[in-house]
Amino acid sequence: MSDAGVDDSTVAPLCGRLRENWWRLALIAATLVMAAFAWYEPLVAVFTVIPVLTWCWGLARSDRTGTVVGAILLALAAWILLPRDLGLSGQWVPSVFDVCLFLPILTAVICLVGIRGERSRGLPAIGFCAFAVAGLALGGYTAVWYSEGDTGNEGVWPGPSGLRVVEGEREGGSGGFSRQLDATGDRAPERMRDYLSSRGFSSQGDDSPSICRVNGVVLTYKVCAVVEDISPTMVRVSWWI
């Protein structure tokens, strides 16, 4: 057999599989790219990827149903991940608690509707029940973690581009921790305030120097920050939950 014959016998089936499964690869690739940029919240990234991977490689049978349900799951993933990729958040972006508690239930319903009539529902039902239980467990763990005040980036870090940003030491104890950063550069105080305002932080309407925002759609929590002008070219920001 010639080399060309060997190549044809190897490549042709591979090309056929790629043509048949292009939609699976496209949906998975798009989700993984979004998750990679949101990896600073690994729990959210992993939980958002699992439904798309499970549907595309484990549950979907027909191209038509697979593409429609996969597109719905991709849109759901984009709602969760894209704002994080862009540094945005607020009451229209699902919080980590929303993701852990509601995403497994919502995706289970979507997938079970999609596979009805395509295959036995016993195994998928068991799998998604396990996914929901894992979400509840991790949601509870995350709630304890947040109650201890272990503050994440929360839209403050790494600060606006063009400024030199250095993170300070964390302050606090068992009641909670705050994080701090110093930013230097041209018009640093003004640019930092504009940066935080664009990410949903606003004044509380009283004499408090804090600016706050609420994260999450259903299960919400508040993040607050204080911006302190050190000089016209230096600003210090402290934030906590």
Side-chain angles (χ1 to χ4, degrees), residues 84-104:
R84 289 172 164 84
D85 295 343
L86 299 174
L88 305 175
S89 63
Q91 290 182 283
W92 59 279
V93 179
S95 68
V96 62
F97 306 112
D98 292 328
V99 173
C100 288
L101 298 180
F102 297 119
L103 180 65

Side-chain angles (χ1 to χ4, degrees), residues 76-149:
L76 191 60
W79 179 31
I80 295 169
L81 295 175
L82 275 182
R84 289 172 164 84
D85 295 343
L86 299 174
L88 305 175
S89 63
Q91 290 182 283
W92 59 279
V93 179
S95 68
V96 62
F97 306 112
D98 292 328
V99 173
C100 288
L101 298 180
F102 297 119
L103 180 65
I105 298 172
L106 183 57
T107 54
V109 172
I110 294 171
C111 290
L112 290 175
V113 170
I115 64 174
R116 186 174 59 181
E118 288 193 345
R119 59 178 293 178
S120 171
R121 290 179 290 177
L123 183 59
I126 294 173
F128 278 110
C129 284
F131 186 41
V133 170
L136 290 171
L138 288 174
Y141 170 79
T142 305
V144 173
W145 185 55
Y146 270 67
S147 69
E148 292 296 322

